Amino acid sequence: MGQSELRPVTGGCHNSMFNGLPLTAADSIDTLLIMGLNDEYYRALDHFKANLKWDKQMDVSVFETTIRFVGGFLTAYQMTGENFFLESVTDLVNRLLPAFNTGSGLPRSTVNLVTGACSEPAWMISSAVLAEVGTLQLEFATLSHHTRNPVYLQKVSDIYNVLRNHLPADYLFPPFLNYADGSTKPSTITIGGLGDSYYEYLLKFWLLNEKKDKDIGDWYYKSAQSIIDNLALYGIPSQPYIEVENPDRKDYMYFLSERDGAGRIINRQDHLACFAGGMLGLGSLYIEDENTKQNHLRVAEGLARFCWEMYNKTATGLSPEAVPVNFNGEEIQIVTTNNVEWIMRPEAVETWFILWRITKKQKYRDWGWYIFEAMNKHSRTDLGYSGLRNVNNVPPEKDNVQQSFFMAETMKYLFLLFTPDDVLPLDKFVFNTEAHPLLKFQADAFFEV
Ligand code: DMJ
């Protein structure tokens, strides 16, 4: 319970990121509540109360700590009213605050929970990463809301102020930013890893505060339109998907290409970018102009279709991390893959869940069920579920790690795909990027345990 992640094949613990902190228990705490697993919830709560202390000599990622621990505890607090969660998470976030002392206000990547000393991994080349600094806003704003302490909200609003000063003309940020002033260097523009949840949080931050901050809403819609105009590529699947209810429906899809530093198109897509179907679908609900609304929803559905293809095309029925795409301007074909591991990611099923809620098209449930069965067949062990080293091998070799986001996100979104719409209704909650639902500020908590 007090360890980071499960080793589902051999037993024991995988402690790569948060050595000695109960990552999986914290990240799945609201999944337990949503699924009605109240005994397990109380076991986790008792464990936290007896053992969880944040004064550990440990360097932690500000981003990962926020989306997983802070997000999980804030949701648990909203669902149960249990004061422990709010007190604990306030202590934790206070320990992250030294990371923001950079002059510009863009936080450093890593902070020591006791000393406040900051650093970043070598691969970040002493820069801030767009998705890291742009994915703290929901959690920090919610903490300010509950503690009535504006300091957390101020920190993340300052980040938006820095980014706003450097907004590219096409609203598509390169992923690396200078800590000192937020200026950018030309590099690959992607909606996958390093970029992804920055775009997601523009929309959700606006929604969290009941659409009161018009600037942020405009910022999101201009960014989303630019993604559609500049990165989304439209084509016909090499093999059509026949819907049972609508066998004549014309099948199409979109994928999100990348742009290198010289502006050249790269025809590939990360699984991480599959979240964008849900984002565009959710965003489409609030667009007044009917043509624009339909356009955003159409791209969202095309992306969902592409992500289904990423699963459908492999021997195990589970998606690789990223796919190169053969695209002749008409037909989109996923041929072979380089990044063949499956690490239990949630983004495709997240998109199918949101689009199911919006469109009620049965195919989204069918796709979710298909991958649930594939997981049970190829990834399940006596102890849990495991990532796979190569999705094209049957039987696949297991990597012996159960990622904490598997319980926090993948299983939660699969579950919600099959619940009635009034379980976590989309008009009352926004999901943080780790699938922890946060109440919009005007909404009322309603869970009981
Ligand atoms: C999760 O931690 C979050 O969804 C994050 O936004 C991206 N990476 C993983 C899941 O793939």
Side-chain angles (χ1 to χ4, degrees), residues 284-313:
S284 77
L285 294 176
Y286 307 96
I287 299 175
E288 280 172 18
D289 176 73
E290 194 53 32
N291 284 340
T292 312
K293 183 193 202 69
Q294 290 309 326
N295 186 28
H296 282 229
L297 186 56
R298 177 178 166 76
V299 178
E301 291 215 73
L303 288 169
R305 172 70 176 80
F306 179 85
C307 293
W308 158 245
E309 194 86 353
M310 290 174 72
Y311 285 81
N312 188 28
K313 275 283 182 289

Side-chain angles (χ1 to χ4, degrees), residues 63-64 67-68 196-197 272 345-347 405 409 433-434:
F63 161 75
E64 298 288 0
I67 67 171
R68 301 187 194 213
D196 49 8
S197 41
L272 284 163
R345 290 202 188 273
E347 292 78 14
F405 53 71
E409 299 194 71
T433 197
E434 191 79 358

Side-chain angles (χ1 to χ4, degrees), residues 177-188:
L177 310 164
N178 187 328
Y179 275 124
D181 61 4
S183 58
T184 59
K185 334 174 184 170
S187 55
T188 301

Side-chain angles (χ1 to χ4, degrees), residues 17 27 63-64 67-68 135 196-197 200-201 271-272 275 321 343-347 350 404-406 409-410 413 432-435:
M17 200 172 5
D27 216 3
F63 161 75
E64 298 288 0
I67 67 171
R68 301 187 194 213
T135 314
D196 49 8
S197 41
E200 176 187 356
Y201 270 36
H271 187 281
L272 284 163
F275 84 96
E321 267 288 86
I343 62 162
M344 327 182 90
R345 290 202 188 273
E347 292 78 14
E350 168 184 352
S404 82
F405 53 71
F406 178 70
E409 299 194 71
T410 312
Y413 283 130
N432 91 336
T433 197
E434 191 79 358

